[in-house]
Amino acid sequence: MLLGLAGPTSAQFFNFGGYQQRPQPQRGGGWFGNERGGGGWYGNDTFAPYQEQAPQPRWSGRQAPPPVREDFSKAPPPEKRNGVPERHILVLGDAMADWLAYGLENIYADQPEMGVIRKHKTVSGLIKYQPKGDPADWAAAAKGILATEKADAIVVMLGLDDRVTIREPAVDKSDNKAGNKKDAKAKPDGKASSAKPEAKPDGAAKVPDPELPPDDAAENSGARAVVEPERSAHSPNDIHEFREKRWVELYMAKIEEMIGVLKSKGVPVLWVGLPVVRGAKSTADTAFLNTLYRDAAGKAGITYVDVWDGFVDETGRFLQHGPDFEGQIRRLRSSDGVYFTKAGALKLAHYAEREINRLLAARSAPVVLPTEPATPDASARPDQPAPRPLAGPIVPLTASSVGTNQLLGGPGARTVTMDAQAARVLITGEPLSAPAGRADDFAWPRREIEGAKGETPVASTSLDANARAPAASLKPKKQRR
C-alpha cells in the first residue's frame, strides 16, 4: 500500500529531483549553528518559513540622495477645542514662541476657560521681522495683532534670530544741503565727501559655529540665528556687529519699543528668556541676550520669566535629557540642539504658566463691599437708636499718621495717647495684677472676693477638715512588745 504525501512537508523528506547535499559547517560555527546564523545542521533555516525580500529601490543616479533633514523649528499645530474660552493668552515671537504656545495649549487642555492664541513668525526677530514687505519689525506687527486680538495676558519670546548686524538708519541730511554742495565743490571730481555704505547682501554665506562638533554643526545648519558669524572682516560706519556697544544701544531701543507696544494693551506682559542652546559659543550668545531682556523688563515693570536653569545640568551645560516638570527623566530638546520635544515644551510652558496664573489672580474681580440702601428705612423710629450699618468705615491699614518728611516720635510729631495699663505691660514689662481669688493671686493677706462677703465658702469647711487630719496622724503609735 502506497501513501501519497503532498505539499511542502513531503518535499522536505523525499527529494525526487536528485541527491540533496548535506550542508557543511561554516566558519565560526559547528553543526549546531553559530551566532551569525551562518549555517549548521541544526542552525540553518531549512524549516524556517519563506519570507519574501522587499524590493530594493533603484536610484537613477550613481549616489543615493541625501537624507531629508527634519525641521524642528515648527511645533505641532493646535488642536480644535469645543467652546469659547473666557480668558485668552496671546503668545508672540519666533519659533521658540511657537513651542511655548504648544506647551501652554497642552497645560490648559483640561481648563476650558483658558485659551491660547498663537501669533508667531518662525524666522523673525526684533531686528528684522521679515525680509521684504510691511511690517518690517515686530513692534509694528504687534500693533496690528493687538488691534484685532483679545488678550488677558501677553507672553513674548523671541531673539533667536537676532545674532546679526544692525544697520543704523541714515540721518536725514535735507537740512544740510548747503554743506553738501560746498563739499562737492571742494572735491576735484565733483563728488560728495560722504559715500553711501555698501549694503550687506541678504544671502551671505552662513559660517557654522566653530565651537560645535562637526555633527552638531551640521545639525545646527537649519538654525540661522545660531550659526551667524559673530564678527565680520569689514564693517561700514553705519553697520554694527553683534555685541558691540552701539549694537547693544540700538537693540535695547528695539526691546523698549516692543514692550511699550505690548503695555499699551493694559494687560499683564511676560517676557520669557531664551533657553540654553547647544555649543559653547551659542550658549554664551543666548545668555548675553537674556541679560538685555532682563534689564529691559525690570525697567519697564513687566515680568521676566527665567527658564535657563530648567535646561542645563549642574555645571551649567546644555542638557539633552533631563527631568521634566514631573521629575521624570525624558528627552527635552530636539536633535538639532535648539528646539524642544513635547516633554521639553511642557517644561518650558510650566515656567510661564506659573507666572500667568499669579498675574491673572491679582487682576481678578475686585471685592464688592456692602453699601447702605439708597432709600431710608420707613420702619425706623426716631426715638430708637439707629440701625446697625451693614459695613463700617474703610480704614487704610498702611496709611501713615505723619508726613513723609517726619519720623515717628520725632520733634513736632503728634503725641500718641496710650492706655496706662497697656504702657506698663507692653513698655515697662510689668505683669498684670491677678484678680482676687484666682490661683495666681499671691497677695497676702488674702483679699476678699467681691460678691462673696458675709458668706462662708463651701471649700473652706473641707479645707479646715483636711488641715486637722494631718495633725492627728502625726501622733506616734505605741509599739506592741
Side-chain angles (χ1 to χ4, degrees), residues 30-188:
W31 292 108
F32 292 91
N34 53 26
E35 296 179 357
R36 301 180 182 178
W41 185 252
Y42 294 99
N44 57 13
D45 54 353
T46 304
F47 299 95
Y50 174 73
Q51 297 180 358
E52 183 179 359
Q53 299 294 333
Q56 299 295 331
R58 296 181 180 180
W59 306 108
S60 57
R62 296 181 179 179
Q63 187 178 2
V68 179
R69 186 178 300 276
E70 186 177 357
D71 185 11
F72 298 101
S73 62
K74 297 180 181 179
E79 298 180 358
K80 295 183 179 180
R81 301 178 61 181
N82 299 327
V84 179
E86 300 177 0
R87 291 184 171 182
H88 302 80
I89 310 301
L90 179 61
V91 182
L92 306 176
D94 52 10
M96 289 288 185
D98 189 17
W99 282 101
L100 174 62
Y102 170 71
L104 288 173
E105 290 168 355
N106 285 270
I107 292 176
Y108 292 133
D110 298 335
Q111 305 179 28
E113 70 277 3
M114 300 294 294
V116 180
I117 303 175
R118 295 195 203 183
K119 291 295 179 179
H120 70 282
K121 192 170 183 61
T122 302
V123 182
S124 63
L126 290 175
I127 299 177
K128 183 182 294 184
Y129 178 76
Q130 56 189 358
K132 297 180 181 179
D134 190 40
D137 58 355
W138 252 110
K143 291 180 182 178
I145 295 174
L146 296 179
T148 57
E149 296 293 341
K150 179 183 178 182
D152 295 278
I154 302 175
V155 183
V156 58
M157 184 179 184
L158 47 78
L160 191 64
D161 291 318
D162 284 338
R163 285 179 50 188
V164 294
T165 58
I166 295 181
R167 179 184 294 274
E168 190 173 2
V171 181
D172 188 9
K173 299 181 180 179
S174 60
D175 298 338
N176 197 17
K177 291 182 179 179
N180 293 339
K181 292 180 180 179
K182 293 180 181 179
D183 295 341
K185 291 179 180 179
K187 294 291 181 179

Side-chain angles (χ1 to χ4, degrees), residues 189-226:
D189 54 357
K191 294 182 180 180
S193 60
S194 60
K196 184 178 180 181
E198 298 179 359
K200 184 177 180 181
D202 295 335
K206 303 299 186 297
V207 181
D209 193 342
E211 305 271 349
L212 292 177
D215 297 339
D216 297 345
E219 292 174 353
N220 275 333
S221 60
R224 185 173 61 184
V226 178

Side-chain angles (χ1 to χ4, degrees), residues 459-477:
S460 62
T461 306
S462 59
L463 288 176
D464 296 340
N466 293 334
R468 291 191 300 268
S473 61
L474 292 177
K475 295 180 179 180
K477 296 182 180 179

Side-chain angles (χ1 to χ4, degrees), residues 408-425:
L408 291 175
R414 187 176 58 183
T415 305
V416 181
T417 59
M418 183 179 293
D419 183 72
Q421 184 177 3
R424 289 197 311 270
V425 175

Side-chain angles (χ1 to χ4, degrees), residues 104 261 292 315 349 354 443 464:
L104 288 173
V261 172
L292 304 182
T315 61
R354 179 177 55 189
D464 296 340

